[in-house]
Amino acid sequence: MTTTATTTRAVVEELLRRIGAGDPERIAELYADQGDWKLNWPQDEHGRPATPWIRHRSTRADAAAHYRELAAGHLPGEAATEIERILVDGTDAVVLGEIRQTARATGRAYLATFALHLTVEDGLIARHHVYEDSLAVARAFAP
């Protein structure tokens, strides 16, 4: 494995550890000051009041806000993530897995598969694109 790929894998593994620990500020430290952050959800001109974390982001501060909003929307202690595979190619990594969460507003649990595409530049995450089962999440938060 090349030095670039080794660095990429190390940053991704540290990101996953920090997400598991649940400290949004520590998680955000791994993101570049400016980045490309997208979630693969249908566009909605009215926003998503039930799921405010589901939106595009571009800064390190946005990353911290994402993880704070995500935690606020779910019941603590009712979550699990299973990482199936981490694929690394140079500065790019893809994390494949499954998340289990319970929506705070409705009490409904959901299971969603995901793919997370990250790009690591200069030891920081510069791209964060999420592809997930948005229908499972939307159903859990629907009134």
Side-chain angles (χ1 to χ4, degrees):
M1 191 179 302
T2 68
T3 303
T4 300
T6 301
T7 300
T8 299
R9 180 172 290 279
V11 170
V12 170
E13 289 175 351
E14 181 62 18
L15 173 68
L16 297 173
R17 274 191 290 283
R18 290 184 189 192
I19 290 171
D23 182 344
E25 303 309 318
R26 292 262 306 133
I27 297 166
E29 291 172 355
L30 293 173
Y31 287 85
D33 288 334
Q34 292 289 316
D36 179 18
W37 182 304
K38 294 182 183 169
L39 289 97
N40 188 36
W41 270 63
Q43 294 298 318
D44 185 345
E45 71 269 7
H46 304 294
R48 292 182 183 80
T51 56
W53 62 90
I54 299 173
R55 61 185 172 89
H56 299 312
R57 312 277 180 155
S58 61
T59 67
R60 181 178 292 146
D62 285 342
H66 168 83
Y67 290 105
R68 281 193 300 275
E69 292 165 2
L70 182 63
H74 293 89
L75 293 175
E78 302 277 328
T81 301
E82 182 177 324
I83 303 301
E84 295 172 16
R85 184 160 289 130
I86 300 171
L87 307 168
V88 177
D89 181 17
T91 61
D92 289 303
V94 175
V95 180
L96 303 172
E98 209 171 61
I99 56 171
R100 290 182 177 85
Q101 295 269 26
T102 301
R104 185 182 298 270
T106 65
R108 282 190 222 114
Y110 66 91
L111 171 70
T113 57
F114 71 89
L116 171 60
H117 177 195
L118 300 166
T119 300
V120 176
E121 296 174 354
D122 299 322
L124 296 170
I125 298 165
R127 177 188 301 154
H128 177 116
H129 289 190
V130 178
Y131 307 90
E132 69 180 349
D133 182 354
S134 55
L135 182 57
V137 179
R139 284 181 174 160
F141 283 89

